[in-house]
Amino acid sequence: MLVRGFSRLLSSAMAAVKPSVVFVLGGPGAGKGTQCSRIVEEFGYVHLSAGDLLRAERASGSPDGDLIEGHIQAGSIVPVEITVRLLEKAMIASGKENFLIDGFPRNEDNLAGWHNCMGEKAAVKFCLFFECPEELCVQRAMERGKSSGRSDDNPEVFKKRYQTYVQSTMPIIQKFGAKDKLKSISGVPGPDEVYAEVRKLFS
């Protein structure tokens, strides 16, 4: 019922201008959030982090909270119906036209769910992929965990998350590549050097 209601709202509110979406993918700790913040600042995109939306939903006392927390602790992927509903709701609330969707789609089910619900309402420009080796991702995530307060920034959960990324998300990244909709950038250098490459894609 809620999803249908949001769908109708999105259709009417955005019928005149089809919103444009850039999916942002990469391993945990690859620098997605840092680079998205810079894109927002310079180019005015709205940054929607699937993980942040799910954590906020969990903290809100939502009936889905325990389910979301269970998946976060297991390093697994939350059911697509929940994630797409939260993304759609956030897009409507923003009233904007250009979106960075960070950390989604994470598997085949996510991609199919997006196409089923949002395929006619939003245009995916490309997938921005930050390539970063596992060792560096671990180092960054553990450093972030000292101050983030995130329950998934610990070695045990990180290992599960990275395994899920390799097994479930990499095939999705390859699909975008096969459709010539993949923009790959090394996430290894410092943030300034990485952004120098990123901004070329949006200028």
Side-chain angles (χ1 to χ4, degrees):
M1 174 78 96
L2 283 174
V3 171
R4 287 198 297 271
F6 288 138
S7 296
R8 287 194 295 270
L9 280 171
L10 190 61
S11 297
S12 59
M14 298 181 173
V17 180
K18 203 172 188 178
S20 111
V21 168
V22 173
F23 290 135
V24 184
L25 294 175
K32 299 183 297 295
T34 299
Q35 296 303 318
C36 283
S37 296
R38 295 190 174 203
I39 297 167
V40 168
E41 184 177 349
E42 183 171 359
F43 297 102
Y45 275 67
V46 175
H47 175 208
L48 300 178
S49 163
D52 286 351
L53 289 171
L54 288 166
R55 282 184 284 273
E57 184 75 357
R58 175 195 59 187
S60 72
S62 160
D64 294 322
D66 288 343
L67 175 65
I68 292 169
E69 175 64 13
H71 280 283
I72 288 174
Q73 287 299 320
S76 56
I77 297 173
V78 173
V80 66
E81 296 82 4
I82 296 174
T83 309
V84 171
R85 171 172 57 82
L86 294 175
L87 288 168
E88 190 176 2
K89 184 178 179 181
M91 289 172 73
I92 294 167
S94 75
K96 303 293 185 180
E97 299 170 10
N98 296 309
F99 299 91
L100 301 169
I101 297 186
D102 164 9
F104 182 94
R106 291 182 63 199
N107 64 4
E108 184 65 43
D109 189 48
N110 276 185
L111 188 59
W114 172 269
H115 284 315
N116 290 338
C117 183
M118 303 294 293
E120 297 300 316
K121 305 171 197 169
V124 177
K125 294 175 68 176
F126 56 86
C127 174
L128 175 57
F129 170 47
F130 291 102
E131 300 181 83
C132 194
E134 181 178 2
E135 296 77 12
L136 184 55
C137 285
V138 171
Q139 179 185 330
R140 289 175 175 175
M142 295 308 99
E143 186 63 31
R144 179 177 66 190
K146 294 176 182 178
S147 58
S148 70
R150 285 174 47 168
S151 60
D152 54 343
D153 277 343
N154 68 72
E156 182 181 351
V157 175
F158 180 89
K159 185 175 181 180
K160 296 174 184 175
R161 290 173 65 208
Y162 200 87
Q163 185 176 37
T164 298
Y165 158 71
V166 170
Q167 294 175 346
S168 300
T169 308
M170 280 305 300
I172 297 303
I173 290 165
Q174 291 162 2
K175 277 196 169 189
F176 281 111
K179 294 179 180 178
D180 201 27
K181 281 200 166 188
L182 183 68
K183 309 293 184 184
S184 298
I185 290 179
S186 173
V188 173
D192 291 342
E193 294 171 86
V194 174
Y195 189 65
E197 297 303 312
V198 168
R199 70 188 307 275
K200 293 175 185 177
L201 302 175
F202 293 87
S203 298

